[in-house]
Amino acid sequence: MRTPWVVGAVLAGVLLAGCGDPRSAPPEPAAPRASSPTPARQPSPARQPAPAASPSPPAVRAPRVLYLGDSLAMEAQTVLGREMRRELKARYTSAPYSGTTLCDYLEGTGERSLVPAEDKAAALVRRLRPDVVVLQFWGNSWGYTPCMDGLTYAASRSRYAARYADDARRLTEQIAAAGAGRRPRIVWVAQGPDPLTPDRVRRVNALYEERAAVSGDLVADAGEAVSPAGARYTWTRYLPCTADERARPGYCTQPGRGRTALHRADDPLHFCLAPTTSRPKPCPVPSPGILRIARAITETVRHGATRPLQ
């Protein structure tokens, strides 16, 4: 997404009762004297079987997670990896490329793509066999990537939406086919508010919801974590600090006002609070927006995308 200017069981016990041989039974005792009544013999309580142990929940394998995306994924990949490993013990791989959109990860785009053949989504799925593929794309709308054929949101919203929906379908199909009978679950990451083309991000997020519903996949609404409460699509540079952010040095950037910064003043789209560099890399400084997004994605994978041991 980065433009030229913003550039992953019950063992039951068996009880055995011994039976006496009737031929060796002792003689009946003499009748008791009337003056010495003997209490009636009470029947022995029935022997109860030992309670069975409660079944153990099925073991859950640490998921293999593959993270793909554009510059938002590029800047968040280290933090997401840390959260995935700490919270889920995930085996995590990331392969984001700045400036890309869905078509860049499609096989068959060749030289018209910013992603090399070995890092296409299907190629990585065949090689890594992930349980989960997380896709985070802002939805490049400026024609920056060649595989979009110059189509921009501004030029034709309907054609852009149709093309984006078709690319999402094709990418889902390629990932599924590459799973070779063990299809990974796809997690689409819904984006935060867009100050430049506000309606575009609504449409892109709706496409993610539609695609996930059709193919049985998931949406992680990471964008909600970087939106004001009750105003999902209202862009803001600052949000109130969370308790966790107040306890983390460098995360509550305006402690006196109880606010934390999501964006730099010169970059309304990205969440890294370090200056943009000519060579894209993971964000090198504490950035609350990135941590919020990473935790939202991790929670979606935890609750909906992990699988029991086969």
Side-chain angles (χ1 to χ4, degrees), residues 27-39:
E28 290 292 326
R33 295 179 183 178
S35 59
S36 303
T38 300

Side-chain angles (χ1 to χ4, degrees), residues 138 153 190-194 197-210 231-234:
W138 173 80
Y153 185 74
Q191 301 306 304
D194 182 351
T197 51
D199 182 64
R200 185 203 57 80
V201 75
R202 289 178 181 265
R203 185 167 294 196
V204 167
N205 286 348
L207 291 173
Y208 293 156
E209 294 279 359
E210 293 167 8
R232 173 61 178 81
Y233 286 101
T234 298

Side-chain angles (χ1 to χ4, degrees), residues 40 74 89 102 114 123 141 155 227 305:
M74 174 64 75
K89 310 302 180 187
L102 301 182
L114 301 179
S141 63
S227 304

Side-chain angles (χ1 to χ4, degrees), residues 2-307:
R2 205 177 283 278
T3 65
W5 65 277
V6 187
V7 198
V10 173
L11 179 63
V14 178
L15 299 178
L16 302 177
C19 296
D21 185 347
R23 292 172 297 181
S24 62
E28 290 292 326
R33 295 179 183 178
S35 59
S36 303
T38 300
R41 181 176 293 176
Q42 299 298 317
S44 299
R47 183 174 291 178
Q48 300 296 322
S54 300
S56 300
V60 175
R61 172 166 34 86
R64 294 186 181 96
V65 179
L66 174 61
Y67 182 43
L68 307 177
D70 55 22
S71 59
L72 293 181
M74 174 64 75
E75 67 182 8
Q77 60 182 313
T78 299
V79 175
L80 180 61
R82 183 190 68 208
E83 294 297 311
M84 288 281 182
R85 294 184 184 103
R86 183 178 66 189
E87 299 295 328
L88 307 179
K89 310 302 180 187
R91 286 168 283 185
Y92 169 87
T93 302
S94 59
Y97 283 84
S98 294
T100 58
T101 193
L102 301 182
C103 61
D104 286 290
Y105 281 90
L106 287 170
E107 290 190 317
T109 48
E111 294 180 357
R112 297 171 53 250
S113 170
L114 301 179
V115 176
E118 65 271 17
D119 285 347
K120 299 294 190 181
L124 289 170
V125 169
R126 285 191 291 267
R127 185 163 77 244
L128 300 172
R129 310 295 290 166
D131 302 294
V132 182
V133 178
V134 179
L135 300 174
Q136 182 168 11
F137 292 91
W138 173 80
N140 188 299
S141 63
W142 292 329
Y144 178 65
T145 178
C147 66
M148 284 296 288
D149 301 315
L151 179 60
T152 66
Y153 185 74
S156 176
R157 297 184 179 188
S158 60
R159 287 180 57 215
Y160 170 86
R163 168 65 186 275
Y164 205 83
D166 188 59
D167 286 346
R169 175 190 59 79
R170 293 174 61 199
L171 190 56
T172 298
E173 292 172 351
Q174 289 190 4
I175 289 171
R182 193 174 179 280
R183 180 194 188 282
R185 186 74 61 85
I186 296 173
V187 175
W188 297 93
V189 181
Q191 301 306 304
D194 182 351
L196 306 178
T197 51
D199 182 64
R200 185 203 57 80
V201 75
R202 289 178 181 265
R203 185 167 294 196
V204 167
N205 286 348
L207 291 173
Y208 293 156
E209 294 279 359
E210 293 167 8
R211 173 44 44 194
V214 168
S215 56
D217 291 310
L218 302 168
V219 173
D221 194 358
E224 183 178 34
V226 290
S227 304
R232 173 61 178 81
Y233 286 101
T234 298
W235 184 90
T236 182
R237 184 181 172 197
Y238 297 98
L239 282 179
C241 300
T242 65
D244 179 68
E245 287 165 352
R246 286 192 291 270
R248 288 172 173 261
Y251 276 82
C252 193
T253 50
Q254 293 187 321
R257 304 177 64 181
R259 302 194 309 175
T260 191
L262 301 179
H263 306 279
R264 290 173 53 86
D266 59 352
D267 186 347
L269 300 180
H270 296 92
F271 295 90
C272 183
L273 298 183
T276 300
T277 61
S278 59
R279 184 175 182 178
K281 61 182 180 180
C283 187
V285 300
S287 298
I290 289 177
L291 181 58
R292 291 182 182 214
I293 287 169
R295 287 183 167 175
I297 296 171
T298 300
E299 284 305 298
T300 298
V301 173
R302 181 206 302 278
H303 294 296
T306 54
R307 301 182 180 197

